[in-house]
Amino acid sequence: MAEPPLLWLETVGVADVPRVGGKNASLGEMIGALGGAGVRVPPGFATTAASFRDYVAENGIATAMQAQLAAFKAGKASLQETGAAIRRLFLDGEFPAATAAAIREAYRELGRRRGLSDPAVAVRSSATAEDLPNASFAGQQETFLNVQGEATLLQACRACYASLFTDRAISYREMQGFDHLKVALSVGVQAMVRADLGGSGIMFTIDTESGFPGVVVISAAWGLGEPIVQGQVDPDRYLVFKAPLADPACVPILEKTLGGKARKMIYASGGSARTALVATRLRERKSFVLEDQDILQLARWSLAIEQHYGRPMDMEWGRDGEKGELWILQARPETVHGTRQSSTLRSWRLTSKAQPILRGAAVGEAIAAGPVRIAHSPDDIAGFPAGAVLVAEATDPDWVPLMRKAAGIITDHGGATSHAAIVSRELGLPAVIGTQQATSLLRDGQQVTLSCAGGEEGLVYDGVLDFSATDIDLAAIPKTRTAMMLNIATPAAALRSWRLPSQGVGLARMEFIINAVVKAHPMALLRFDAVTDPAARREIEALTSGYANKADYFVETLARGVARIAAPFHPHPVIVRMSDFKSNEYAHLLGGAGFEPVEENPMLGLRGASRYYSERYREGFVLECRAMVAARETIGADNIILMIPFCRTPAEADQVLALMAEHGLKRGEKGLQIYMMCEIPANVILTEEFAARFDGFSIGSNDLTQLVLGVDRDSAELRGLFDERDEAVKRMIADVIRRAHLCGIKVGICGEAPSNHPEFAAFLVECGIDSISLNPDSFVAAARRVAEAETARPGG
């Protein structure tokens, strides 16, 4: 039986890639397999690969196309000349009568199903070699939106056929090793979702930078989705924690970042253009595109799609502005991290210091340097030197041949899911996206260094800085009986470190998140009227814009920051220390100076437990408690263990624990464990009394050494006396481990001494310490030393 000229999407599935291409096969698969799970996909139909071959044969295209490709490969014609000539062959052709009639009738039937005459449709290209697990071909063929009328539809189908030979598609197939003559194209015709009146975007079921598989990343902008892909708008960004998604009581949103969204694409009215890019209103720029329930709905759908396909996925979605309904518009395999099987972790580090001149979103984790080349068009490829840093306002798929020659990429606009970001990841290039002013600030020939090694923020430096790259063989890291854990300072550091074989986080410092993310003193938020510094007032107003009250800003921001540290290590424990700023450090937060005492010795002053129940800070500590309840129970990061620092007496412990319980953090309820920092000699002397009140100890060797030896740990003059290996300190450590174990509670240590000193690691192992927590860059060396010590220990 002859292949039909087209098939309805509900009749095809993943086995039909040779007939309707990867994109259309995926759409049909979702309609058939996931419709029952509530996943909505717009209805439509797809022309078959046989129809494409019939078109080629009907118009005698093959011979002329072969000649053009042969001339290109022989160097007798440029890429641009070759592409233009082949595209003209398709655009000038006519459909076989049977194919044209089938397309017209299917279009009418789609209108009948939708109750519309001449319905608006999206016309998408679906190549039979695209969207395969190892080749995403992101954006290589064309999509036409808001197509109406039979004649216009047929012309859009011709244009889709022609787009199989855009310059970027030819270049991409050359790079991937596909035979141009063996690739066919199916045209998908779908009912348009009125996203022009609502919003749209992209989502991934994997963190696009680190490859962490436990989150969903969603980008969103007003209007149709093309400007996000093309990098023409800076979208909102949402990060969702997968593990608690099935729990209807949880709202596991780890991040909500408001994008600029300066423009949006809508349907055009009048003239030949079907869409138009227009400025957004101020209200739209200041508002999130998605409500929390929409974010969770999309995340749950994405999880269902990922589970069905059995691999990380890259999807496009839209929200109909008329009915408020969400729709999945495309789904394809994620090809950068999803297929990576490497057991090697590469770590990049700048080895010289400088002040950045530009900031943007980091793509990848690498560092690159080279001369700037500002490009205003992909046609600039002829004069682009290999190894230069490409600087552009934004890129679209036409830029791929030029991007392949670059050492790194910097753009004015775009987000983490824009075309520039997606292709940069596929090419393994570092990119700093959405700097706002790269093309105006940088100049041709200027030497720059761009670094994506610091987390989510990419930095650009003037000049060529020294940097290094280190490869860690994850398979060669020895396993130990002692739990090896990490000290994590920021959410970005947590995502970068998820592949290390740690058994959780031994120390996450809350004050680092308050300083870097929250930025404002909690009492300044609670008593904003008392803040007198005009600059601080302006910054606090900007930070808290959109919140019903300023305290909610603190709670939500801190909760999400802590949960983002906990998520990459779930279900392993993540020990979060409640804030341990000293008064002089708290004073540096926005609005903080008016709420802090001036102390001669802040290190021994109002810090840790004594601060929490003091009248000066008690209300601020209540906000910390509310944030931890939200992180554990609302977001669902139930692997969080809380820890109290600098607790001087058992009576003080009782006061703090009672205050925590009063505000939703009762030890033992809902699985909550509470630890104590063991860093004061009194903690060791009264081991049994403190053990009766806490679930575990974490030895703070810096403060313990300082207080046992009476040495200011910050004193350059006394540096030689400050040593955790001092016998007095070691006796304290050995004593608390032994007595705590007799009480049935665990003891860990957080500090660099086990990494820096092999004999100290051996000592801790000899004492039977339960866990050792270190900074990520010390993890491998420490794991090796602990393994050696365990082997050397009698019975090891």
Side-chain angles (χ1 to χ4, degrees):
M1 183 179 294
E3 179 75 23
L6 59 83
L7 298 166
W8 286 91
L9 289 177
E10 65 265 25
T11 69
V12 301
V14 291
D16 296 301
V17 171
R19 304 171 78 194
V20 295
K23 190 176 297 178
N24 289 331
S26 178
L27 290 169
E29 179 76 14
M30 288 190 291
I31 290 172
L34 297 171
V39 178
R40 284 191 290 264
V41 177
F45 58 90
T47 64
T48 60
S51 291
F52 175 83
R53 296 188 179 100
D54 287 345
Y55 188 93
V56 170
E58 177 83 6
N59 294 282
I61 291 173
T63 301
M65 185 167 64
Q66 286 176 315
Q68 292 290 342
L69 288 169
F72 169 61
K73 291 185 177 182
K76 297 178 180 178
S78 69
L79 174 63
Q80 291 84 351
E81 292 168 338
T82 303
I86 296 176
R87 291 193 296 275
R88 180 47 54 193
L89 295 172
F90 283 95
L91 292 171
D92 290 344
E94 292 292 339
F95 281 96
T99 303
I103 293 172
R104 289 191 183 98
E105 177 51 36
Y107 177 66
R108 294 177 197 134
E109 173 60 22
L110 183 61
R112 287 191 287 270
R113 294 183 183 185
R114 304 285 288 175
L116 298 169
S117 175
D118 283 348
V121 293
V123 182
R124 304 180 186 275
S125 308
S126 180
T128 57
E130 77 173 334
D131 295 342
L132 302 180
N134 295 310
S136 76
F137 278 63
Q140 294 309 303
Q141 279 80 50
E142 297 288 359
T143 293
F144 301 94
L145 304 177
N146 191 28
V147 174
Q148 285 185 282
E150 294 174 16
T152 307
L153 172 59
L154 287 171
Q155 186 55 34
C157 290
R158 287 190 194 90
C160 280
Y161 281 177
S163 76
L164 191 58
F165 288 90
T166 58
D167 299 350
R168 60 189 184 251
I170 295 170
S171 175
Y172 222 69
R173 282 196 294 274
E174 288 285 316
M175 182 173 69
Q176 295 287 349
F178 284 94
D179 185 338
H180 299 285
L181 299 178
K182 291 183 178 179
V183 179
L185 191 134
S186 164
V187 178
V189 179
Q190 283 181 286
M192 277 290 289
V193 171
R194 291 305 305 266
D196 62 306
L197 302 176
S200 52
I202 302 169
M203 62 182 171
F204 291 83
T205 60
I206 192 169
D207 180 57
T208 50
E209 304 313 322
S210 68
F212 173 56
V215 292
V216 178
V217 182
I218 304 174
S219 294
W222 300 110
L224 303 173
E226 290 300 299
I228 295 183
V229 178
Q230 308 298 353
Q232 295 172 311
V233 298
D234 303 317
D236 295 342
R237 170 184 154 93
Y238 314 105
L239 192 69
V240 183
F241 184 21
K242 287 181 183 176
L245 264 175
D247 185 347
C250 286
V251 183
I253 300 173
L254 297 172
E255 177 190 339
K256 288 174 67 174
T257 301
L258 190 69
K261 307 184 298 292
R263 293 180 287 181
K264 65 178 179 180
M265 182 175 283
I266 61 172
Y267 288 0
S269 57
S272 60
R274 291 181 290 267
T275 59
L277 203 59
V278 299
T280 51
R281 297 184 178 91
L282 179 61
R283 177 184 56 80
E284 291 174 315
R285 295 197 293 274
K286 297 293 185 181
S287 302
F288 285 109
V289 173
L290 296 176
E291 301 290 340
D292 286 358
Q293 64 267 24
D294 296 327
I295 297 168
L296 296 180
Q297 180 67 78
L298 286 173
R300 291 184 177 116
W301 282 359
S302 76
L303 205 54
I305 293 167
E306 178 183 59
Q307 289 169 349
H308 177 74
Y309 283 97
R311 64 188 64 156
M313 298 295 287
D314 165 4
M315 290 148 286
E316 295 181 21
W317 60 270
R319 186 182 62 193
D320 190 303
E322 291 181 329
K323 299 181 179 179
E325 295 173 335
L326 293 167
W327 297 82
I328 298 296
L329 308 178
Q330 282 191 47
R332 52 184 168 257
E334 192 275 341
T335 59
V336 177
H337 297 287
T339 57
R340 184 175 292 171
Q341 302 295 324
S342 174
S343 65
T344 300
L345 179 64
R346 173 161 284 192
S347 174
W348 297 79
R349 186 168 68 92
L350 281 174
T351 54
S352 55
K353 294 184 178 179
Q355 287 298 314
I357 57 175
L358 283 171
R359 299 172 184 269
V363 173
E365 298 177 348
I367 301 172
V372 163
R373 178 61 188 268
I374 299 173
H376 299 286
S377 162
D379 296 335
D380 293 342
I381 186 171
F384 190 91
V389 174
L390 171 61
V391 177
E393 291 185 13
T395 70
D396 61 32
D398 287 326
W399 291 70
V400 171
L402 194 151
M403 295 170 74
R404 291 176 60 190
K405 299 179 71 174
I409 297 167
I410 306 171
T411 70
D412 288 347
H413 305 295
T417 52
S418 66
H419 178 268
I422 293 170
V423 174
S424 294
R425 291 186 198 102
E426 292 189 13
L427 297 177
L429 296 175
V432 180
I433 304 297
T435 65
Q436 304 300 321
Q437 53 182 339
T439 55
S440 60
L441 185 66
L442 302 177
R443 63 185 185 279
D444 271 335
Q446 178 181 358
Q447 294 286 339
V448 297
T449 302
L450 61 153
S451 173
C452 299
E456 296 172 350
E457 186 176 52
L459 303 174
V460 179
Y461 301 88
D462 186 29
V464 176
L465 304 185
D466 294 330
F467 60 89
S468 63
T470 304
D471 288 332
I472 300 171
D473 184 356
L474 299 175
I477 299 176
K479 294 183 178 180
T480 60
R481 294 189 305 277
T482 307
M484 300 302 296
M485 304 176 80
L486 293 170
N487 297 336
I488 296 293
T490 66
L495 281 172
R496 290 201 308 274
S497 304
W498 76 272
R499 293 181 64 206
L500 287 171
S502 73
Q503 291 178 259
V505 174
L507 178 62
R509 299 174 176 90
M510 183 183 288
E511 63 271 14
F512 279 27
I513 300 173
I514 294 173
N515 187 61
V517 183
V518 178
K519 299 180 180 179
H521 194 292
M523 298 304 296
L525 298 172
L526 287 163
R527 301 178 186 173
F528 184 63
D529 289 344
V531 177
T532 57
D533 179 0
R537 290 182 65 87
R538 285 194 298 272
E539 289 190 64
I540 290 172
E541 289 281 22
L543 287 170
T544 58
S545 175
Y547 286 86
N549 64 71
K550 293 174 171 55
D552 289 347
Y553 161 77
F554 182 92
V555 172
E556 182 178 296
T557 306
L558 180 57
R560 286 183 174 151
V562 169
R564 284 182 62 201
I565 290 179
F569 301 95
H570 193 275
H572 293 302
V574 171
I575 302 171
V576 178
R577 187 177 70 188
M578 305 301 278
S579 66
D580 194 26
F581 278 130
K582 288 74 177 174
S583 55
N584 59 325
E585 296 167 335
Y586 260 116
H588 291 146
L589 294 172
L590 287 173
F595 297 96
E596 293 298 327
V598 177
E599 298 183 291
E600 289 295 327
N601 191 350
M603 189 73 75
L604 296 179
L606 188 65
R607 62 174 290 200
S610 60
R611 170 177 282 271
Y612 302 155
Y613 60 85
S614 72
E615 289 306 312
R616 185 182 288 272
Y617 187 74
R618 180 188 179 103
E619 293 173 84
F621 182 67
V622 169
L623 295 188
E624 293 183 25
C625 292
R626 285 176 52 195
M628 293 307 94
V629 171
R632 283 178 45 83
E633 299 176 20
T634 304
I635 297 176
D638 56 6
N639 56 327
I640 291 172
I641 293 172
L642 299 178
M643 184 158 65
I644 305 303
F646 226 76
C647 188
R648 293 170 168 99
T649 68
E652 190 168 64
D654 290 338
Q655 282 186 274
V656 172
L657 291 171
L659 183 58
M660 294 176 72
E662 182 184 341
H663 294 282
L665 295 172
K666 186 173 183 178
R667 180 183 167 212
E669 286 192 357
K670 300 180 181 178
L672 175 64
Q673 295 185 60
I674 302 179
Y675 282 24
M676 182 193 77
M677 289 290 295
C678 181
E679 54 192 344
I680 301 170
N683 300 149
V684 179
I685 294 167
L686 300 178
T687 295
E688 290 76 14
E689 287 85 344
F690 284 109
R693 291 162 168 82
F694 294 99
D695 298 291
F697 293 161
S698 179
I699 297 169
S701 58
N702 284 339
D703 268 328
L704 187 61
T705 301
Q706 172 176 247
L707 295 173
V708 168
L709 298 179
V711 175
D712 181 352
R713 73 192 209 192
D714 294 330
S715 171
E717 298 293 331
L718 301 177
R719 186 179 298 129
L721 290 174
F722 186 91
D723 191 342
E724 301 99 324
R725 296 168 295 173
D726 185 275
E727 186 61 28
V729 179
K730 289 172 64 178
R731 288 190 189 185
M732 282 277 189
I733 291 173
D735 189 41
V736 76
I737 293 172
R738 178 183 62 80
R739 290 161 61 198
H741 283 171
L742 290 175
C743 295
I745 70 168
K746 294 181 178 181
V747 184
I749 191 169
C750 44
E752 295 307 299
S755 176
N756 297 336
H757 308 296
E759 70 275 20
F760 195 74
F763 160 72
L764 292 171
V765 170
E766 183 66 30
C767 292
I769 199 156
D770 297 289
S771 64
I772 296 174
S773 188
L774 308 109
N775 292 338
D777 58 1
S778 303
F779 184 88
V780 176
R784 289 172 180 155
R785 284 173 176 162
V786 168
E788 291 168 1
E790 289 178 346
T791 302
R793 185 184 182 190

